Amino acid sequence: MRFTKYHSLDDILRYPGMRDYLHVFYSQYLLDMLPQETWNLPIARAEQIARTPWQEPFSIVADQLMDAANLVLDLRENQTRKAISLWETDAEAQWNLEKEAEGGKEKVFLIAPAGIRTGEEKKPAVIICPGGGYEEVCFSGEGTPVMHYMEARGYRAFILRYRTGKDGVYPAPKEDLDRAVRYVRTHADQYGADPGNLMTMGFSAGGHLCALQAALCDRETRPDKVCLAYPVISFGAEAHAGSAQALTGGRAQLREALSVERLVTGDYPPAFVWTCRDDDCVPPSNAVRMGEALKCAGVRHELRVYPSGGHGCALAFSKEAHDWSREMLRFFS
């Protein structure tokens, strides 16, 4: 079963548990943009009526809604993806809404392919860490669409739902990413992944998480390459205050310790870092500072600062930063 834009939002919400699942996989503020009077119309029609406050085609928001709804189907009915509960002793234990209600480590999961057929070629792997200011994990733009894009470009793609908010004070999110890297490497054969070609890719606060984990990991959990998209980097100068407060829990002594530009050494993984000059949420100086640290440490890297795109543009297909994903793939090829 698949939802298409010929279905209405009412059709989608009639699926058992869909409202609760969308609370995890789709941002409520995006759902609120779809006028109530359009909920009984095909999404293809409703997206012509609705508007985004940032003057972007509503079709992008609608596409993200379809991605989220179909991810729920893939997990529950089509069995083409799994949500692995990373902190269970059973490596194949799967997350569900009951675990979601328990909170803490029970909310941590890794979206993974269902598996591969014997004999399929091994492909590079990517673990995607969406942003959300360490207060939430925003699957809508920085998770599911990026997963589909990377799969289309020949990667085995995974999405990490790491701990945030009151459960996500350091070191909890880093521990979650460590565990995700270890899981993918340990089960590489099951997913047709190359354990020696694993990328972590983070957006905004997820970029900070990937950057930090790559600096503080051990040999077993070191990623082979890192992509940092409009990342939070510094908790000192020009910091994103919300991310710093959430991850440190207000502990001032952690701000310097978790400022990644201070942690880069010569054995840091190759890195592609990008941002937009007009980002008014996370100052672009964060990415620039990371680029300077990588250069000083002699780490192979590329820094791109695009003229515009703002913050949270993800794949940025309608923005001036649209070419970042192709340039990233070229860099790592």
Side-chain angles (χ1 to χ4, degrees), residues 117-139:
R117 295 186 297 273
T118 303
E120 283 193 59
E121 65 173 314
K122 288 192 174 182
K123 297 181 178 181
V126 58
I127 298 174
I128 301 158
C129 296
Y134 283 118
E135 291 289 352
E136 60 178 327
V137 176
C138 298
F139 280 81

Side-chain angles (χ1 to χ4, degrees), residues 51-278:
R51 296 287 182 270
T52 64
W54 53 88
Q55 307 305 312
E56 197 167 31
F58 198 84
S59 58
I60 294 174
V61 177
D63 287 341
Q64 293 172 7
L65 171 62
M66 304 310 299
D67 281 345
N70 282 316
L71 177 57
V72 175
L73 292 182
D74 288 343
L75 292 170
R76 288 175 52 83
E77 188 166 323
N78 300 329
Q79 298 183 334
T80 56
R81 298 194 190 274
K82 300 183 289 188
I84 301 296
S85 287
L86 285 176
W87 289 99
E88 293 277 356
T89 53
D90 178 359
E92 289 304 305
Q94 298 194 38
W95 166 89
N96 54 41
L97 289 177
E98 289 73 25
K99 292 179 180 178
E100 178 74 12
E102 294 179 27
K105 288 183 177 180
E106 296 298 315
K107 294 177 68 172
V108 176
F109 60 79
L110 186 70
I111 296 294
I116 64 161
R117 295 186 297 273
T118 303
E120 283 193 59
E121 65 173 314
K122 288 192 174 182
K123 297 181 178 181
V126 58
I127 298 174
I128 301 158
C129 296
Y134 283 118
E135 291 289 352
E136 60 178 327
V137 176
C138 298
F139 280 81
S140 301
E142 298 168 350
T144 319
V146 178
M147 175 185 71
H148 290 310
Y149 178 84
M150 293 303 288
E151 287 179 337
R153 296 302 178 272
Y155 276 73
R156 306 292 188 196
F158 303 78
I159 311 174
L160 176 63
R161 205 284 192 89
Y162 52 92
R163 281 172 285 176
T164 57
K166 64 180 179 60
D167 296 322
V169 176
Y170 182 80
K174 178 193 172 290
E175 292 173 342
D176 296 339
L177 182 51
D178 282 339
R179 201 158 180 102
V181 171
R182 189 177 291 111
Y183 175 86
V184 173
R185 286 225 170 97
T186 302
H187 297 84
D189 287 344
Q190 176 182 339
Y191 295 111
D194 179 354
N197 191 356
L198 187 152
M199 179 198 304
T200 55
M201 175 186 290
F203 296 80
S204 192
H208 180 269
L209 174 56
C210 290
L212 182 69
Q213 189 271 344
L216 300 180
C217 61
D218 57 28
R219 182 177 298 180
E220 183 183 357
T221 58
R222 179 185 182 274
D224 300 292
K225 49 192 177 182
V226 180
C227 175
L228 308 176
Y230 41 87
V232 175
I233 293 295
S234 178
F235 284 172
E238 296 187 280
H240 181 252
S243 296
Q245 174 66 27
L247 186 62
T248 65
R251 294 173 289 175
Q253 68 273 21
L254 279 181
R255 282 182 171 261
E256 182 173 335
L258 301 181
S259 292
V260 186
E261 76 275 20
R262 298 175 176 270
L263 304 174
V264 175
T265 63
D267 61 353
Y268 199 87
F272 184 91
V273 188
W274 70 276
T275 188
C276 299
R277 192 170 289 116
D278 64 346

Side-chain angles (χ1 to χ4, degrees), residues 12-23 72 76 97:
I12 293 171
L13 293 178
R14 276 194 287 269
Y15 187 83
M18 182 59 77
R19 286 181 183 269
D20 291 328
Y21 282 105
L22 287 183
H23 182 70
V72 175
R76 288 175 52 83
L97 289 177

